[in-house]
Amino acid sequence: MRILLWHVHGSWTTAFVQGPHEYLVPVLPGRPADGRGRARTWDWPPSVREVSPGAVRRAFDAGEIDVVVLQRPHEVDLVEEWTGRRVGLDVPAVYLEHSTPAGPAAETRHPVADLDVVRSGHVPIVHVTAFNALMWDTGRAQTYVIDHGVPDPGVLATGERPHLALVVNEPVRRWRVAGTDVLLRIARDVPMEVYGMGTEALAPHLAAQSDVGAASAERLYDHPQSVLHERLAGARAYLHPFRWTSLGLSLLEAMAVGLPVLALPVTAAHEAVPPHAGFLSANPAELVAVALRWLADPGEAAAIGKAARDHVLTRYPLDRFLDRWNDLLHRDVTPC
């Protein structure tokens, strides 16, 4: 199949494009959000091809696009603006929801739930976790859950640095959602390495609140994903302080690297982190206590990290993820 999708979520797309299809990714001058093109920090195969809006229209005119994977509400209008086609009516489409509701947790209506093509079942909605499917109000839409798939990075964990590591983008702007206050509470007692976009804004907060003198914020987002994985692998354990997120792929990737993980017991974390693979607690003091124990006992940390890796590759295997998507695209997306 030839699949049109925008580059919205780099880690998710990295898994998705490992399938057997050809993937057309819009690109615009300056690579803004509606035209980022191919990723430059993730490893995407040659089957991912950049296309301009004009090339997208020509591909539609030639009947060369089989389905559109939508990920943001306004992409419905972008498809019509660029091609003159209506998703679900002139071209098969599916809507992928990455996130938890941003409004009231149990009462937020999904922004595409009331589109005629969604209400009629022509454009199904796919959630990346069962928790998301439970929390979003999608009305009469046909809905599916396809869990994440995690490409195996290999056994990388060394744990030579007695630090916690974490990846978070824009931690100051996303303060409570990202659990930045929890991060800073733990950083008062535990050496911390923070990676991601916008972490430079966090650096003064870390410096002011850390009593251990080893907290740091580093921007590795412009390096290949493999470089970030190697950096994480040298830390003793991984912290995921997010209060309200679908299921952070950075958490699953850290587990695949072989790190033991600490997280809050929210959203889908209990599925991703069973007791033998890490530690969940809503009490930052308990997270600190376990982190300090792991930092003092690299053997225990390594054993739990191995269990975390085994679990995530069994619970979120890439081949099952790709098979589920292939089944959906071939059997459950309404032809036009």
Side-chain angles (χ1 to χ4, degrees), residues 17-280:
V17 299
Q18 305 305 314
H21 311 293
E22 184 176 356
Y23 308 88
L24 305 183
V25 179
V27 65
L28 293 169
R31 297 182 181 269
D34 286 338
R36 289 175 176 163
R38 283 178 57 92
R40 290 178 282 185
T41 56
W42 285 274
D43 185 17
W44 289 3
S47 56
V48 183
R49 182 159 60 89
E50 292 183 344
V51 286
S52 66
V56 171
R57 177 157 200 142
R58 290 191 294 273
F60 271 111
D61 291 342
E64 295 178 346
I65 294 180
D66 298 299
V67 65
V68 181
V69 176
L70 305 162
Q71 301 170 78
R72 298 166 298 171
H74 75 276
E75 290 174 5
V76 173
D77 298 324
L78 274 181
V79 172
E80 187 166 2
E81 176 186 340
W82 289 5
T83 72
R85 269 73 172 182
R86 297 162 300 171
V87 296
L89 298 175
D90 302 319
V91 58
V94 58
Y95 190 97
L96 171 65
E97 179 53 65
H98 290 283
S99 302
T100 46
E107 298 179 357
T108 298
R109 188 75 164 180
H110 197 281
V112 303
D114 295 313
L115 295 180
D116 287 342
V117 290
V118 174
R119 287 163 57 92
S120 65
H122 285 85
V123 177
I125 296 176
V126 179
H127 297 280
V128 297
T129 70
F131 182 87
N132 283 14
L134 176 72
M135 299 309 292
W136 276 110
D137 175 4
T138 53
R140 294 186 296 172
Q142 188 175 16
T143 60
Y144 299 86
V145 175
I146 299 181
D147 289 327
H148 289 300
V150 181
D152 185 356
V155 181
L156 301 178
T158 59
E160 74 266 16
R161 298 191 304 277
H163 299 168
L164 288 180
L166 70 144
V167 177
V168 56
N169 291 329
E170 299 188 72
V172 172
R173 182 182 67 83
R174 302 164 65 206
W175 194 270
R176 285 188 59 81
V177 168
T180 301
D181 57 316
V182 178
L183 181 167
L184 292 172
R185 164 63 187 89
I186 294 172
R188 293 208 304 259
D189 301 305
V190 184
M192 188 89 67
E193 303 169 5
V194 185
Y195 303 100
M197 292 184 286
T199 53
E200 65 274 15
L202 182 62
H205 297 277
L206 281 170
Q209 296 202 37
S210 175
D211 296 330
V212 296
S216 65
E218 301 185 42
R219 290 171 289 170
L220 285 182
Y221 57 86
D222 55 350
H223 290 277
Q225 188 183 37
S226 58
V227 173
L228 177 57
H229 286 170
E230 289 172 4
R231 252 329 256 172
L232 294 178
R236 187 68 48 82
Y238 187 84
L239 173 66
H240 188 71
F242 286 75
R243 277 190 176 86
W244 189 243
T245 184
S246 172
L247 177 57
L249 272 168
S250 60
L251 171 68
L252 302 184
E253 290 170 359
M255 294 172 73
V257 163
L259 292 177
V261 293
L262 301 164
L264 305 183
V266 297
T267 64
H270 69 283
E271 297 179 16
V273 188
H276 64 281
F279 181 74
L280 303 180

